[in-house]
Amino acid sequence: VITALGANTASSSAEIAAGLEKFASVAETIGLSYDYSTAALATIVANTRQSADTVGTGLRTIFSRLQGLSLGETLEDGVDLNKYSKALKTVGVDILDASGKMKNMDTILTDLAGKWDSLSKAQQTALAQTVGGVRQYTNLIALMNNWGDMEENLKTAGNAEGSLQDQADIYAESWEGARDRVNAAAE
């Protein structure tokens, strides 16, 4: 997946791998799939040209906040939405399903992307600043504003089987071609 996205975007395999290191530890906990993780990272790096470390750290913050809950006042209260999740709810994105269970991050991101274009620029900025904070909100805006790229990157990730071998074959062919040209010139 990393190889395919590195080859198809303006980010490299090394950048994607470095960025994933910053938030991979929370990905499983919040229900973020590998395809969404790599696609989101590649989308933001390719569109902003920020360092992968910066983007990865930003995504860790954003993803942690998007699924934020707080404990109720008593054990019977269970959990309540924190300020970040309440901000999502005000624009029509709920982090809990109908039975009160937490949605996975893939679903939350897709739901947010579905609402994003219906928000005014002021609402988008306010939501992004609330969820991402002053330092990370631009990453959320970059991801949502480039959701078409994200969808393309998800397709690439889903079809990545054999990409590493394809890249190795291209390299081998180019090396073999160069060697053959040198041999022909020498003859």
Side-chain angles (χ1 to χ4, degrees):
V1 171
I2 290 174
T3 302
L5 287 171
N8 290 334
T9 66
S11 57
S12 70
S13 299
E15 287 176 313
I16 296 169
L20 284 174
E21 289 177 1
K22 298 297 184 184
F23 68 94
S25 61
V26 299
E28 185 175 340
T29 303
I30 62 173
L32 184 67
S33 69
Y34 184 74
D35 286 356
Y36 264 72
S37 298
T38 53
L41 185 69
T43 299
I44 296 170
V45 169
N47 283 290
T48 66
R49 295 312 305 153
Q50 293 182 67
S51 76
D53 286 348
T54 300
V55 172
T57 300
L59 288 176
R60 180 180 63 221
T61 300
I62 291 166
F63 293 152
S64 297
R65 288 178 172 187
L66 281 175
Q67 254 188 357
L69 297 171
S70 59
L71 289 175
E73 292 183 26
T74 67
L75 289 177
E76 290 77 30
D77 287 345
V79 294
D80 294 320
L81 299 177
N82 68 11
K83 69 179 182 178
Y84 310 115
S85 298
K86 285 179 183 174
L88 287 175
K89 192 167 180 104
T90 62
V91 297
V93 177
D94 200 342
I95 68 162
L96 302 174
D97 64 18
S99 64
K101 294 186 181 196
M102 182 96 63
K103 292 180 182 176
N104 66 39
M105 186 56 64
D106 294 3
T107 303
I108 294 169
L109 286 174
T110 301
D111 291 350
L112 179 56
K115 303 281 185 186
W116 190 255
D117 288 336
S118 68
L119 303 175
S120 69
K121 291 292 181 197
Q123 289 172 316
Q124 291 173 350
T125 302
L127 177 62
Q129 286 178 343
T130 299
V131 173
V134 178
R135 294 186 179 161
Q136 307 303 340
Y137 81 96
T138 56
N139 287 321
L140 182 58
I141 289 174
L143 181 61
M144 290 296 120
N145 284 345
N146 295 291
W147 193 255
D149 291 350
M150 172 71 174
E151 291 175 323
E152 285 300 314
N153 290 339
L154 284 169
K155 287 179 191 173
T156 299
N159 297 325
E161 185 71 30
S163 293
L164 186 58
Q165 185 60 50
D166 292 344
Q167 291 295 315
D169 291 345
I170 290 169
Y171 176 77
E173 287 175 19
S174 66
W175 174 248
E176 288 172 8
R179 185 191 63 211
D180 291 346
R181 286 189 300 275
V182 168
N183 285 341
E187 289 176 5

